[in-house]
Amino acid sequence: MSQRKVAVYRKEHFNAAHRLHNPQLSDAENARLFGKCNNPSYHGHNYELIVKVTGEVDEKTGYVIDTKILSDLVKVHVLEVFDHRNLNLDTDYFKNLNPTAENIVMVIYDILRKQIDSRYDLKLMLYETERNFVEFPVG
Ligand code: NI
């Protein structure tokens, strides 16, 4: 077997509040575009984050990546930043960026990409609800 790449998945969870709002648009347009998610008093989601790391299996350990190390990276750099926070108010990432699932997953990707060795491929799935989820990068 020449191809020894395996994908390793780690599932994590965080709760966070947000409000979808584009200050460049009128209140009516914001209400039309974002519906309940435009509620001025914010609302919460139970986000599920699936981190997929793909790489060669190490001959010595039999691992692609130690899932304890992966879990700790996500915990320190993502969960401790976003869990039980208001994404708009309590983090710097969404001061000027609408915290849609699309934007959140790209922010988390940029955070984790810096922490995970470039020999690994990284892909994320972010579930905002059981039925609504996004993937980044695509392909
Ligand atoms: Ni929402």
Side-chain angles (χ1 to χ4, degrees):
M1 263 192 297
S2 57
Q3 177 60 274
R4 302 290 296 166
K5 283 195 170 179
V6 173
V8 174
Y9 294 81
R10 176 75 195 176
K11 193 168 162 185
E12 299 285 354
H13 179 85
F14 61 96
N15 302 313
H18 75 166
R19 181 193 188 200
L20 301 185
H21 183 79
N22 182 338
Q24 293 176 325
L25 303 176
S26 68
D27 287 350
E29 184 73 349
N30 271 295
R32 190 184 68 76
L33 281 173
F34 302 121
K36 286 181 182 170
C37 280
N38 186 238
N39 175 12
S41 306
Y42 304 92
H43 63 278
H45 289 284
N46 296 314
Y47 291 97
E48 292 280 357
L49 175 68
I50 296 173
V51 180
K52 177 187 182 186
V53 175
T54 304
E56 299 275 340
V57 175
D58 184 272
E59 279 184 25
K60 186 173 70 181
T61 62
Y63 289 156
V64 171
I65 188 169
D66 185 332
T67 50
K68 174 71 168 78
I69 292 170
L70 179 59
S71 167
D72 286 348
L73 280 178
V74 177
K75 188 174 182 186
V76 169
H77 297 283
V78 178
L79 304 188
E80 286 181 6
V81 178
F82 295 138
D83 190 32
H84 286 76
R85 301 292 166 82
N86 180 313
L87 297 177
N88 303 73
L89 302 180
D90 299 338
T91 77
D92 291 333
Y93 297 104
F94 302 103
K95 296 272 189 254
N96 299 302
L97 181 67
N98 211 8
T100 59
E102 291 88 333
N103 282 330
I104 297 168
V105 79
M106 289 192 289
V107 163
I108 293 174
Y109 179 87
D110 287 344
I111 292 170
L112 289 178
R113 187 66 276 186
K114 292 191 191 96
Q115 302 299 327
I116 293 172
D117 193 289
S118 61
R119 71 177 186 272
Y120 298 115
D121 288 329
L122 176 64
K123 186 186 280 282
L124 305 178
M125 304 283 290
L126 181 71
Y127 285 71
E128 192 171 77
T129 70
E130 273 182 39
R131 293 168 187 270
N132 295 334
F133 51 96
V134 295
E135 176 185 67
F136 186 80
V138 173

